[in-house]
Amino acid sequence: MPVTGAKDRVYRSPAGLAGGVLLLGLVGWLGVDAIVAGEGRTPWLALAALILLVPLVTAFTLRPAVYAGDDRMRVRNPFRLVVLPWGQVASLRSGYSNEVVAESGQKFQLWAIPVSLRARKRAARRQDRVAADQAAEREGRPRRRRGGFGGPAGFGGGLSSYAGPDGPEGPARAESDKIMGELRNLWEVRQKEESAQGEVTVRWAWEIVGPAAAGALLLVILLAAG
């Protein structure tokens, strides 16, 4: 979902944020309990596991974000930060995942904007219902009711609470597809601007990779030591 800031619009996954907080709470609770109450090598193993797991959970849940500004988009994925000036963006594609394609042919998945096939199917059903209602109006037939206080969906007597897809704004779409549409519109408007030119840069997230690698190494040493 978008969060409007002073300069950039920020897109993050609410489900990812909620899941990350829950997972970090669970991992922290189990890890601290093992460190405090464990015996022998258990506290050290728990410490190594915490050093490994906390960065990984953070990387895949709390870290992903897409920042869309007037001149460029920044894609913060689990282990990399990609900065793409709009002039270097070749396309924004949606399939089983959302991704941005650079002019060089490089593809970068947008982890912060996950695709929900279930949401797409719901949106498609809403579009089908609207198309059926529009066809009925053109032919002079009564519209099919969508349920309400007087009866179940599909039967008369009920007050229809259905007002069309996305209200008066246009066709129903899944939330991730709406976001991709916003990004495409911004790209199309800004891609030719002089300030939106430049080079694509990719930086590894060493603040995630470093601690996770240290935790994995410590865990391997402890397990190998027996």
Side-chain angles (χ1 to χ4, degrees):
M1 67 185 299
V3 178
T4 303
K7 294 183 179 180
D8 295 350
R9 281 180 290 180
V10 185
Y11 299 93
R12 309 184 75 174
S13 169
L17 294 174
V21 170
L22 291 175
L23 282 174
L24 286 175
L26 178 61
V27 169
W29 174 56
L30 293 175
V32 171
D33 181 69
I35 291 173
V36 173
E39 298 179 354
R41 294 190 308 146
T42 299
W44 291 102
L45 289 171
L47 178 61
L50 278 177
I51 297 174
L52 171 62
L53 291 177
V54 169
L56 291 181
V57 172
T58 300
F60 286 98
T61 59
L62 305 184
R63 176 180 165 80
V66 172
Y67 300 83
D70 289 340
D71 297 330
R72 60 187 52 82
M73 70 182 298
R74 290 185 294 139
V75 181
R76 197 170 70 183
N77 281 341
F79 300 113
R80 294 190 297 179
L81 175 64
V82 184
V83 179
L84 301 103
W86 291 119
Q88 287 293 323
V89 174
S91 65
L92 289 152
R93 301 196 305 199
S94 298
Y96 290 105
S97 65
N98 292 313
E99 61 185 18
V100 56
V101 182
E103 290 287 352
S104 64
Q106 291 177 287
K107 301 176 184 177
F108 304 100
Q109 186 174 344
L110 305 180
W111 282 79
I113 311 175
V115 169
S116 172
L117 297 180
R118 180 178 298 179
R120 281 183 176 172
K121 290 178 180 178
R122 285 200 301 266
R125 287 196 295 269
R126 288 198 297 270
Q127 289 180 325
D128 290 342
R129 289 198 295 266
V130 171
D133 285 341
Q134 292 173 342
E137 289 180 355
R138 287 193 299 268
E139 297 171 6
R141 294 184 285 108
R143 292 177 58 178
R144 177 184 175 89
R145 295 185 182 273
R146 306 299 174 190
F149 297 105
F155 295 89
L159 296 176
S160 175
S161 60
Y162 183 73
D166 296 346
E169 297 180 358
R173 289 186 295 170
E175 183 65 24
S176 63
D177 293 334
K178 292 179 185 178
I179 293 173
M180 292 299 289
E182 293 177 10
L183 292 175
R184 289 190 190 98
N185 290 338
L186 184 57
W187 163 55
E188 290 170 359
V189 170
R190 299 293 302 175
Q191 62 178 321
K192 301 298 184 181
E193 297 294 328
E194 183 177 351
S195 59
Q197 309 307 311
E199 298 295 329
V200 176
T201 61
V202 181
R203 181 182 71 84
W204 286 97
W206 295 111
E207 65 275 16
I208 296 291
V209 175
L217 180 61
L218 179 58
L219 191 61
V220 168
I221 292 173
L222 289 172
L223 292 174

